[in-house]
Amino acid sequence: MKRSFIKLMALCLFSGISQAQSNINTTLLEQQVEQMQSSIDSLNIVISQARERYAQEAESREQIAKEIAALEGEAINLKRKFNKALQQLTSYEQQQYAQSNNSGQLITIEQNIAEDTSSVATFYPKRANLVANRVFDDALSAADLKHLRAMQSNESAVVTKIKEYLHMYDKMVALQLEYERVDNEIAADSVLKLLDSVRSKAELTEGAIKSKWHDIFDNKVYAYNLMMERDSKLDIISKAEQTLSAALISSEQRAEQCESEALVEYFYRKKALLNYEIQVADVYELSTAKDSLLRVSNTISESSFCLPKVTIVRRAFIDHEPIKVIKPTIYTPKNPIPHTKIYDYGTVYRVRIGIFTKRPNLTALKGITPLSYTDKYHNGKYAYFVGGYRTEEEALEGVAYLKKLGFRDPQLVMWVDGEYISNIAEWKSKNLGFNLEITGVTTIPDDIKAHISLRNEQARYSRVGSAFIVGSFTSKADADKVASEICALNSKIKVEVKPVK
């Protein structure tokens, strides 16, 4: 007996030194993980602020886009380092517990005495992985236990899919910024096609995440409920059901504001499930598993999963150019007057200088530019147009200028999303443009009103039920752009573009 006691004391001394060093190493790794998570959260805030500036400061978008790209690159690298540190911490803990068990560190005084007395003592080592603890062996059937542990193992597959999605999301954000940078329609269409391709792949990945995660979530909750029922912990089941139900409601509400419904749902349900697992660990006094679960819960942040929407507002690549006089004329048989370019999106005003059965003599056009013609309208006759203006006011100045040059009856015309309008007054009486329907707020914030005024000084506000109606905008392109900018300024606001009836 004395020999056993001396042996125990020596073992405890060695184990104490080893445990102290292990605790120091674990603490350092924990601090490193916490610091990295804090840095990630801070960086996400900076990126979010930069995106808000991007939406607000049109004149500085190119520079801000570069800043965002650099910040996102930094965020990706930091996330990789964080994942590596977290993996090291988990691996170290597992090694620590394995070494502790092998070295006899977990041997109790009662077990040591049992060497001489032949008494029997039941002892289960505590493990960081909750469902790896032996208490589950006693509480569940072999089939349920096997299924539960398979679900635990499958969680890594969900994490892998989430990483795949995040990689594609980074690509989508980069393409969104690239779309704003390109300066011609061909390049813009190419970016949109690539974005559609990436988004399609991302949607497939989202489907896989949702399917796998639902299966894991439902089966883990079922197993924990079985255990709590067996041990008459009905209060814990009730509390867990409330938490899980609240998580589902929160995810449904938040998903409308985020890019991925699957990731939002994963975040809220994962947090709720971790909360349930922590309670299960508490019931069975599994302190090691509880500490591990708490650490995981603390490292999962909403900003990593509730990602800002990647919203593309279609751009109208229209050549706007006022009327000029260049003599001698730039148009010759080798450089003829081109066909009128019709844009299928956006609004452009031009001045029609005449409708001719035959093409007019170039000298009669008095050196004005930019000229174009088409026989698409007016029963096949040649309609000639000059200039290209953003607004009706600018175009009317062009009309006045042509009259001074001696043109008898220059007429203002326009194209709206590819439609030719030769009688603007009549068109306005029938087509009142587009309104913004704003919901999600009880009042429209002052900064949103100020932004709308910058885009449309004549904007009028009305209220229908819980919705605010703001109008009107001449083209859908203009309304779409303002709607997107409002959503970027305030993610809680929902804006729909609707034609005025």
Side-chain angles (χ1 to χ4, degrees):
M1 190 74 172
K2 183 177 180 181
R3 190 169 58 251
S4 297
F5 180 74
I6 294 171
K7 175 181 167 184
L8 174 62
M9 292 301 293
L11 182 59
C12 288
L13 178 61
F14 174 79
S15 298
I17 295 170
S18 177
Q19 181 64 36
Q21 183 61 46
S22 297
N23 289 340
I24 291 171
N25 291 338
T26 303
T27 301
L28 289 173
L29 282 170
E30 288 174 350
Q31 290 174 349
Q32 185 181 5
V33 168
E34 289 175 3
Q35 288 170 357
M36 283 187 178
Q37 182 60 57
S38 177
S39 298
I40 290 171
D41 292 341
S42 299
L43 195 55
N44 284 332
I45 291 172
V46 174
I47 291 173
S48 178
Q49 292 172 342
R51 284 179 178 153
E52 290 180 3
R53 285 170 47 222
Y54 181 84
Q56 297 171 10
E57 303 173 19
E59 69 283 356
S60 305
R61 281 184 176 173
E62 184 174 352
Q63 180 59 36
I64 297 172
K66 292 178 181 178
E67 291 178 21
I68 292 173
L71 288 168
E72 286 173 342
E74 186 179 343
I76 291 169
N77 290 332
L78 191 55
K79 284 178 183 177
R80 287 173 182 161
K81 291 179 182 178
F82 170 80
N83 291 333
K84 185 177 180 180
L86 189 59
Q87 185 178 7
Q88 286 176 342
L89 178 59
T90 304
S91 176
Y92 186 80
E93 283 181 335
Q94 291 172 348
Q95 292 174 12
Q96 179 182 341
Y97 292 121
Q99 291 169 0
S100 298
N101 192 32
N102 293 336
S103 66
Q105 181 179 344
L106 297 178
I107 296 176
T108 65
I109 292 176
E110 290 80 4
Q111 284 179 291
N112 195 72
I113 293 173
E115 292 181 8
D116 288 347
T117 63
S118 298
S119 62
V120 177
T122 303
F123 172 75
Y124 295 146
K126 296 179 180 179
R127 303 183 185 279
N129 185 331
L130 177 66
V131 303
N133 284 279
R134 288 286 299 278
V135 67
F136 287 83
D137 298 42
D138 299 334
L140 297 173
S141 68
D144 286 337
L145 179 64
K146 182 179 179 181
H147 198 56
L148 173 61
R149 287 180 175 163
M151 293 299 101
Q152 179 69 32
S153 178
N154 287 348
E155 282 212 49
S156 61
V158 175
V159 173
T160 298
K161 284 294 178 184
I162 289 174
K163 288 179 180 178
E164 288 178 13
Y165 178 87
L166 292 174
H167 180 66
M168 285 183 272
Y169 176 78
D170 289 337
K171 282 187 177 180
M172 288 192 287
V173 171
L175 289 169
Q176 179 190 28
L177 297 173
E178 180 64 19
Y179 182 75
E180 291 293 335
R181 282 196 291 262
V182 295
D183 58 2
N184 63 82
E185 192 170 7
I186 294 174
D189 288 343
S190 177
V191 172
L192 288 179
K193 286 180 182 178
L194 186 54
L195 178 61
D196 286 341
S197 175
V198 175
R199 197 186 290 278
S200 295
K201 292 177 183 178
E203 286 173 356
L204 290 175
T205 304
E206 279 188 279
I209 291 168
K210 205 165 187 176
S211 175
K212 289 177 182 291
W213 176 236
H214 279 195
D215 191 35
I216 293 167
F217 179 88
D218 292 341
N219 281 283
K220 291 186 86 172
V221 170
Y222 169 77
Y224 300 147
N225 285 348
L226 283 180
M227 295 177 69
M228 295 301 100
E229 286 176 2
R230 188 201 70 156
D231 293 333
S232 301
K233 300 293 183 181
L234 300 183
D235 58 326
I236 291 180
I237 294 177
S238 177
K239 186 177 179 181
E241 286 176 348
Q242 292 174 9
T243 304
L244 297 172
S245 177
L248 185 58
I249 293 171
S250 296
S251 69
E252 288 174 349
Q253 294 173 341
R254 191 77 171 90
E256 293 182 1
Q257 304 162 10
C258 303
E259 178 66 26
S260 172
E261 178 185 335
L263 262 64
V264 172
E265 185 180 291
Y266 171 84
F267 167 74
Y268 281 101
R269 283 192 163 192
K270 178 65 175 175
K271 291 287 280 190
L273 182 59
L274 283 166
N275 184 271
Y276 194 3
E277 290 177 319
I278 288 167
Q279 292 180 71
V280 171
D282 252 342
V283 169
Y284 299 113
E285 298 181 350
L286 303 172
S287 57
T288 304
K290 181 181 177 181
D291 290 344
S292 177
L293 291 165
L294 283 168
R295 184 161 48 252
V296 173
S297 182
N298 290 335
T299 57
I300 295 179
S301 65
E302 183 185 36
S303 60
S304 297
F305 299 91
C306 302
L307 307 170
K309 284 189 175 182
V310 177
T311 307
I312 295 290
V313 180
R314 188 177 175 187
R315 293 173 61 188
F317 290 90
I318 296 175
D319 294 327
H320 296 103
E321 189 176 352
I323 298 170
K324 297 178 183 177
V325 174
I326 301 176
K327 293 184 178 180
T329 180
I330 62 172
Y331 302 108
T332 65
K334 291 184 178 180
N335 181 38
I337 296 172
H339 286 280
T340 303
K341 186 173 183 179
I342 309 302
Y343 301 96
D344 64 354
Y345 190 70
T347 301
V348 61
Y349 294 86
R350 295 188 177 110
V351 182
R352 190 182 65 211
I353 57 173
I355 302 170
F356 308 96
T357 304
K358 296 181 179 180
R359 297 185 187 183
N361 191 304
L362 289 176
T363 57
L365 300 178
K366 303 180 181 181
I368 57 173
T369 184
L371 280 165
S372 67
Y373 82 96
T374 182
D375 59 358
K376 186 176 180 180
Y377 318 111
H378 309 291
N379 298 317
K381 292 183 179 180
Y382 298 104
Y384 277 72
F385 308 94
V386 63
Y389 297 93
R390 298 177 190 275
T391 67
E392 184 175 352
E393 291 75 14
E394 292 174 349
L396 287 172
E397 290 179 4
V399 171
Y401 181 57
L402 287 171
K403 287 181 178 179
K404 287 182 179 180
L405 292 176
F407 287 88
R408 293 182 181 178
D409 190 26
Q411 295 292 319
L412 183 63
V413 298
M414 67 185 292
W415 281 260
V416 177
D417 299 333
E419 179 188 358
Y420 173 60
I421 293 106
S422 59
N423 190 325
I424 295 176
E426 181 183 352
W427 180 86
K428 281 184 176 180
S429 67
K430 295 178 180 179
N431 300 272
L432 302 178
F434 297 86
N435 283 338
L436 304 180
E437 184 176 288
I438 298 175
T439 55
V441 288
T442 54
T443 59
I444 300 178
D446 290 340
D447 63 326
I448 298 298
K449 285 185 176 180
H451 187 79
I452 293 171
S453 296
L454 287 174
R455 298 290 184 258
N456 185 350
E457 293 181 358
Q458 285 77 42
R460 297 290 181 267
Y461 298 81
S462 60
R463 186 160 188 167
V464 179
S466 60
F468 294 91
I469 307 300
V470 182
S472 64
F473 294 84
T474 303
S475 73
K476 189 173 185 300
D478 294 336
D480 283 341
K481 183 174 180 59
V482 176
S484 176
E485 290 170 348
I486 291 172
C487 291
L489 288 169
N490 190 329
S491 61
K492 294 180 181 179
I493 294 178
K494 185 177 181 181
V495 187
E496 289 186 58
V497 175
K498 294 187 175 181
V500 178
K501 296 181 180 179

